Amino acid sequence: MTQKPNAAPEELPENYCGNTPLMRQYFATRAENASILLLMRVGDFYEAYGPDAVLIAADLQITLTGREDGGTRVPMAGVPYHAVERYLARLIRAGRRVAIMEQMEDPRYAKGLVKRKVTRIVTPGTVLEDSMLEARSNNYLVAAVVGDPVAGIGVVDVSTGEFLATELTGGERETRLLDEIARLGPAEILVPAETPEAVLDAIRRTSDASLQLTGGDRATAPGNSSRQQLLNHFGTTSLRGFGCEEFTAGLDACALVLRYLRETQAAALAHIRNLGTYSTRDYMVLDGAARRHLEITAPMGDGGRAATLIGVMDETLTPMGGRMLRRWLDEPLLDVAAIRRRHAAVNHLARNELLRTEIRRLLRGVGDLERLMSRTSACLADARDLIALHDGLARLPDIGALLADPIEPLLAAQRELLLRPTEAEALIARAIVESPPAGLREGGIIRPGYDAELDRLRTGGQDARIWIANLETTERQRTGIGSLKVGYNAVFGYYIEVTRANLAKVPAEYIRKQTTAGGERYITPELKEYEAHVLGAEEKSVELEALLFASVRDSVARSSEQVLGLARAVAAVDVTACFAEAAVRRRWVMPEVDESESVDIKAGRHPVIEQLAEQGSFIPNDCLMQPDQRMFIITGPNMSGKSSYLRQTALIVLLAQCGSFVPADSARIGIVDRIFTRVGAHDELASGQSTFMVEMNETANILNNATGRSLVVLDEIGRGTSTYDGLSIAWAVAEYLLRVGCKTLFATHYHHLNELAAQNSGVRNYRVAVKEKGDMIIWLHRVVEGGTDRSYGIQVARMAGLPMEAIERAREVLRWLEKSKPGAGSNGAQAPQPAPRRVQLTLFEAEPHPILEEMKALDPGTMTPMEALTQLDIWRRRLLNDDAG
């Protein structure tokens, strides 16, 4: 490669095709992959040229250089082949899609230009490398097709082989589709090119995932329909076995997924051997607002993962378990029997400490079976990956044996799977050495005894090496040349070296090969024959090992379905043990879940705040909601714990329906079909929506979709507009929810809402108790029955450090407001004017001058003369300004 550091690369014409064969090969392939960056393997580097090189150099912050191309200097950027995964990860995070163009033949034996082709296109939703994936999160690729009257979703995680489909019907199908996208949190979303722009905008607002428009959602050419594509892929004549025979838009979405994978990551299709269906009606609905406000998997502030529910709950020990825990928290169940099965399994492990401890010890040694198998199926796994897969599979029978009868049904089902032997484990144990090298070129991967031809080559090569190793001693004795040496270099191979003083003793059959400063180097026909045995055997052994390894990997890949089933069983055991461990460590209790419409929580605690607070400092609270008492109006000052109380109730309900124990002394939960939250305030500037508009959008969603089985959590309604407007909206919202009949926790500073309890027996007033001490208040964080008519806002402002002058003025205005109750257009008395105040520098004022306070705080002994003079000058200028005023 010719580089001229002082010559800048040229800006190429739009349709530049290259002048030399290598450049023509690159730009011809580039033209076939529009909108995708192209990295081409050239020797020990992956290189990009032209505009792609400029983008890659900027994204990766690497040097942009150039390459001569028949008189044109083409921009070039490259990365070492052994570090390409690290650089690809950075490009993917930057939102790029990258085509990888590999060498399809060994450059040493290629005649002319090395053959190359694109082997895969790396996109956010199709990556397989661990360096680009979060171990404890799924990496979903989602296809969404909005039809009439059905919307369909296809979901695949290429890294685990999971492939799912669902359909959404009814007038709210688009809203439910957006909720499902928010739940899945995909890395990449596929939509048909003809999708309406309004739907595309809504998807963009719902998710920050890469959005790809694809063609042909409902291909109708003979043999090319969505249904036929799925039948062809799975090799079946019906889709009944997958539970989606009657699907329409759902099949279109799945076909989009398969076509996209075929274009980008075709090797991964071998891993997609099953299609599961699910219904969003099987799970509690949690829209984007609820997930955000409850901080289930992502914090709203800067607390990091530790400030989320999953951060507190995650005691899993395998990557599969970590991913399943996230799914269980994202998908609280609605089936009481299924919930009770989970509770029973958790209770069994919580009560049996020795069993739980031993299971968790074994789980620590199980690697990521799903992703190891995915890389194996995609022909990306190396020998160390197969050994990791073997070691993980080898532990499973021991885990299954621990789950002996009597056992709970959920654990018993996993036991049956874990005890079954796998062909993959046995094959890897026979074929691969325990500690293989990192790459195939080094050899030594296949076990002795696995292949007779490989053993013969190794034996022949080993015998030849032993002969050469003994040659030096043999020839010294035969020739009498005590300084004779046998050596090797890459140019001439093996040789015999004799010093000048002994040249007369050189046998006639030696063939002189090279003269050196100290003597001569020779070869013999016999030495070259053994050299050929050594080198030929090594080269043939490495080639044969590569073929044998590929065969072993392909055979292991055929066990994909069984291994993935085992991985799911391991994950279920891991999450169950995780719930049990959390329950024991944190003194959580098993809730009672039933079909009632009540929520009865005794001494409930917030699962996250309790862990972040000092031990024993969290104040528990009860919550009793019954069919005839469905709404709590909760008043109290800011920072008193109203929001925590609302969230903890919602999280306890959510945990109970996930199958977990809960932070309380006792809990009885009637099934909740959906949790709605309206908490906090934020603008959506990108969509042009103000804080108040966001609040009203979220409130409208609640009023339009809540049912009698829903739990609604409202933390302030109507605070983004005028007082009377806001109060009117809050009042109307409360009355509407009463008619819906949902369970509602309504925290507010509008004390007027307490009057609802007098008008409706289903409303109860509660307040967060505080203790007043002079101008100070002490938060007791205790929720007690009864309303309050005070918000203590001024006291909170004082504790926050507002200047006393502002605090006194606030009290003055508050007294006037409480006395006159002015409103819009009121002709009542005007607000009192602030009293004039002039600060004089005197020691006799009731309030000390600020400069005097600053002087008291200074320590002259620590100041330099210059600092003291500077401070005096500052005070002088301030006093002059005061006098001028």
Side-chain angles (χ1 to χ4, degrees):
M1 183 187 305
T2 303
Q3 295 189 14
K4 299 180 180 178
N6 297 325
E10 301 177 20
E11 187 169 335
L12 303 178
E14 184 176 349
N15 296 317
Y16 187 78
C17 298
N19 298 318
T20 59
L22 182 69
M23 289 293 97
R24 284 197 293 270
Q25 184 184 51
Y26 179 86
F27 284 105
T29 306
R30 180 69 187 81
E32 297 170 359
N33 295 274
S35 76
I36 300 175
L37 300 179
L38 177 62
L39 280 174
M40 181 171 76
R41 178 74 180 266
V42 182
D44 289 338
F45 286 83
Y46 283 94
E47 297 178 354
Y49 307 100
D52 284 6
V54 176
L55 287 173
I56 287 173
D59 285 346
L60 300 180
Q61 297 183 331
I62 59 177
T63 302
L64 178 68
T65 180
R67 184 187 185 107
E68 291 300 321
D69 181 35
T72 301
R73 187 160 174 77
V74 176
M76 184 192 80
V79 299
Y81 81 95
H82 58 79
V84 69
E85 282 191 18
R86 184 171 77 247
Y87 290 107
L88 278 175
R90 290 167 60 183
L91 290 172
I92 292 299
R93 284 195 294 271
R96 306 295 186 187
R97 296 193 298 162
V98 186
I100 304 297
M101 190 177 181
E102 296 285 4
Q103 296 174 160
M104 304 311 294
E105 56 183 340
D106 193 325
R108 294 175 297 175
Y109 309 120
K111 295 181 179 179
L113 184 65
V114 175
K115 293 179 182 177
R116 296 181 175 88
K117 76 171 186 178
V118 172
T119 57
R120 63 185 178 128
I121 299 173
V122 184
T123 74
T126 62
V127 295
L128 290 168
E129 292 79 358
D130 280 345
S131 60
M132 302 183 214
L133 294 167
E134 170 58 45
R136 294 181 173 272
S137 298
N138 282 97
N139 193 67
Y140 285 130
L141 169 68
V142 169
V145 176
V146 180
D148 187 6
V150 178
I153 294 179
V155 185
V156 70
D157 184 342
V158 178
S159 71
T160 65
E162 184 179 16
F163 191 22
L164 302 170
T166 191
E167 289 194 330
L168 309 163
T169 60
E172 298 296 325
R173 63 186 178 281
E174 289 186 15
T175 299
R176 290 166 56 206
L177 180 140
L178 296 175
D179 287 342
E180 187 63 3
I181 290 175
R183 182 187 73 80
L184 293 166
E188 194 169 8
I189 303 173
L190 311 176
V191 292
E194 59 270 26
T195 303
E197 192 63 33
V199 175
L200 296 179
D201 288 341
I203 293 175
R204 291 188 185 101
R205 289 195 300 270
T206 300
S207 172
D208 58 1
S210 172
L211 187 66
Q212 306 297 333
L213 301 182
T214 66
D217 65 323
R218 295 174 183 268
T220 55
N224 195 38
S225 68
S226 296
R227 179 181 302 277
Q228 191 61 49
Q229 289 178 58
L230 291 167
L231 293 175
N232 292 344
H233 175 76
F234 292 114
T236 61
T237 57
S238 168
L239 296 176
R240 282 191 177 84
F242 302 116
C244 56
E245 179 66 23
E246 306 302 323
F247 276 20
T248 54
L251 300 187
D252 293 332
C254 290
L256 278 185
V257 168
L258 292 181
R259 286 202 296 275
Y260 191 72
L261 291 181
R262 193 169 294 113
E263 295 167 1
T264 59
Q265 191 74 275
L269 286 170
H271 192 40
I272 311 299
R273 299 314 312 159
N274 193 27
L275 173 62
T277 60
Y278 70 99
S279 171
T280 57
R281 300 187 187 280
D282 293 337
Y283 308 112
M284 177 194 292
V285 177
L286 295 164
D287 60 19
R291 295 176 191 282
R292 183 172 63 252
H293 295 151
L294 296 179
E295 300 180 290
I296 298 172
T297 57
M300 291 183 68
D302 300 325
R305 193 171 189 265
T308 64
L309 180 63
I310 195 170
V312 166
M313 292 294 299
D314 195 354
E315 302 280 353
T316 57
L317 297 169
T318 68
M320 300 90 69
R323 293 191 291 270
M324 182 171 282
L325 171 64
R326 179 181 287 263
R327 287 198 295 276
W328 282 19
L329 293 179
D330 275 340
E331 301 172 351
L333 301 176
L334 298 179
D335 183 271
V336 171
I339 294 170
R340 289 176 176 172
R341 283 194 294 272
R342 286 186 183 178
H343 285 155
V346 173
N347 189 49
H348 182 83
L349 295 184
R351 292 164 60 92
N352 291 273
E353 183 175 357
L354 291 178
L355 172 63
R356 185 179 74 254
T357 301
E358 185 61 14
I359 287 175
R360 286 171 61 79
R361 183 187 69 79
L362 291 171
L363 286 170
R364 290 182 191 278
V366 180
D368 197 336
L369 301 181
E370 289 177 324
R371 287 181 174 170
L372 287 169
M373 181 52 74
S374 179
R375 289 202 296 277
T376 300
S377 298
C379 300
L380 294 175
D382 58 25
R384 292 180 178 178
D385 287 331
L386 292 192
I387 289 299
L389 182 61
H390 165 273
D391 292 348
L393 292 172
R395 284 181 171 252
L396 304 192
D398 292 339
I399 297 174
L402 288 173
L403 301 174
D405 293 328
I407 200 73
E408 295 300 329
L410 179 64
L411 295 174
Q414 316 313 325
R415 177 179 183 270
E416 295 303 314
L417 291 172
L418 296 174
L419 288 175
R420 295 174 189 171
T422 62
E423 294 182 6
E425 178 197 343
L427 174 59
I428 296 169
R430 286 199 318 273
I432 310 297
V433 298
E434 288 185 7
S435 300
L440 287 173
R441 292 182 181 179
E442 302 172 46
I445 287 175
I446 303 298
R447 280 183 181 273
Y450 179 73
D451 183 81
E453 175 63 15
L454 179 61
D455 290 344
R456 187 188 67 77
L457 287 171
R458 285 173 170 171
T459 301
Q462 184 66 22
D463 291 345
R465 276 191 291 270
I466 292 172
W467 184 90
I468 293 172
N470 293 330
L471 180 62
E472 186 174 293
T473 301
T474 303
E475 287 301 289
R476 282 183 178 182
Q477 294 173 351
R478 187 173 77 85
T479 63
I481 304 173
S483 60
L484 181 147
K485 294 180 180 179
V486 174
Y488 175 85
N489 70 33
V491 177
F492 298 115
Y494 288 99
Y495 58 82
I496 300 170
E497 187 169 35
V498 179
T499 60
R500 291 186 182 280
N502 293 291
L503 292 180
K505 299 179 181 180
V506 172
E509 66 269 22
Y510 279 22
I511 301 169
R512 189 170 65 82
K513 189 69 177 177
Q514 184 184 25
T515 300
T516 66
E520 299 285 345
R521 290 176 176 174
Y522 301 88
I523 60 172
T524 68
E526 193 175 22
L527 176 60
K528 298 311 289 183
E529 181 181 347
Y530 277 99
E531 176 188 288
H533 280 308
V534 170
L535 300 181
E538 286 181 353
E539 185 174 336
K540 289 178 181 177
S541 293
V542 170
E543 291 177 356
L544 181 55
E545 277 201 80
L547 292 173
L548 291 170
F549 175 75
S551 175
V552 170
R553 187 171 58 190
D554 290 345
S555 297
V556 171
R558 286 193 285 274
S559 299
S560 173
E561 192 168 346
Q562 182 186 14
V563 173
L564 292 180
L566 289 169
R568 287 189 290 272
V570 170
V573 173
D574 193 8
V575 178
T576 305
C578 155
F579 280 175
E581 187 73 13
V584 172
R585 285 190 189 183
R586 300 179 176 94
R587 299 177 295 105
W588 291 7
V589 299
M590 183 169 71
E592 177 186 349
V593 178
D594 55 31
E595 296 284 0
S596 73
E597 298 184 12
S598 300
V599 170
D600 186 359
I601 300 169
K602 296 290 194 300
R605 311 184 300 275
H606 193 294
V608 178
I609 297 176
E610 180 185 36
Q611 299 307 309
L612 299 179
E614 294 183 15
Q615 187 172 6
S617 64
F618 190 89
I619 306 299
N621 278 291
D622 299 344
C623 180
L624 175 58
M625 307 188 79
Q626 298 174 311
D628 59 344
Q629 294 175 359
R630 291 176 173 269
M631 179 176 289
F632 287 7
I633 302 296
I634 306 168
T635 51
N638 290 310
M639 299 296 294
S640 62
K642 297 194 304 297
S643 293
S644 297
Y645 178 74
L646 268 58
R647 287 183 171 97
Q648 82 182 37
T649 304
L651 288 173
I652 288 172
V653 169
L654 182 146
L655 285 171
Q657 293 187 213
C658 289
S660 170
F661 282 24
V662 299
D665 286 354
S666 68
R668 177 170 172 256
I669 308 296
I671 283 291
V672 168
D673 66 356
R674 182 163 183 166
I675 295 177
F676 291 94
T677 64
R678 170 48 239 156
V679 179
H682 63 281
D683 290 320
E684 289 186 4
L685 300 179
S687 60
Q689 298 188 53
S690 66
T691 301
F692 184 63
M693 178 58 78
V694 172
E695 177 184 330
M696 290 299 99
N697 283 338
E698 293 180 357
T699 304
N701 177 50
I702 295 171
L703 301 188
N704 290 323
N705 294 289
T707 72
R709 281 280 183 186
S710 301
L711 172 62
V712 176
V713 172
L714 301 174
D715 190 0
E716 301 296 349
I717 291 291
R719 297 303 295 274
T721 184
S722 69
T723 302
Y724 288 165
D725 275 0
L727 174 58
S728 302
I729 292 171
W731 193 295
V733 166
E735 288 184 338
Y736 192 96
L737 292 175
L738 281 169
R739 289 194 296 274
V740 171
C742 53
K743 292 177 277 290
T744 305
L745 298 175
F746 196 148
T748 182
H749 283 284
Y750 292 137
H751 309 125
H752 309 74
L753 295 182
N754 287 327
E755 296 178 23
L756 284 168
Q759 301 176 9
N760 193 305
S761 60
V763 180
R764 299 290 292 273
N765 290 331
Y766 285 86
R767 70 181 189 277
V768 184
V770 298
K771 183 177 181 180
E772 297 186 59
K773 193 173 183 180
D775 284 342
M776 301 291 291
I777 57 172
I778 300 173
W779 290 291
L780 301 180
H781 302 293
R782 179 77 66 186
V783 177
V784 298
E785 193 161 3
T788 180
D789 60 356
R790 297 187 62 190
S791 292
Y792 299 95
I794 294 177
Q795 287 89 335
V796 174
R798 182 180 184 278
M799 296 172 70
L802 262 67
M804 285 305 301
E805 182 180 352
I807 295 296
E808 289 302 327
R809 176 59 175 164
R811 287 176 175 150
E812 183 181 4
V813 174
L814 177 61
R815 286 191 294 269
W816 170 75
L817 289 171
E818 291 176 337
K819 181 178 179 181
S820 60
K821 300 187 183 302
S826 171
N827 295 319
Q830 294 185 351
Q833 295 297 316
R837 178 175 176 271
R838 182 179 178 83
V839 177
Q840 298 292 335
L841 186 57
T842 169
L843 298 177
F844 303 99
E845 286 209 346
E847 183 172 320
H849 193 283
I851 290 180
L852 290 178
E853 296 300 307
E854 293 174 19
M855 291 176 68
K856 291 177 183 178
L858 284 180
D859 182 0
T862 63
M863 301 178 69
T864 65
M866 182 56 68
E867 289 173 340
L869 289 172
T870 301
Q871 186 61 56
L872 283 171
D873 186 59
I874 291 171
W875 285 335
R876 175 178 173 275
R877 292 175 183 273
R878 283 169 56 185
L879 289 171
L880 289 174
N881 288 336
D882 284 348
D883 289 340

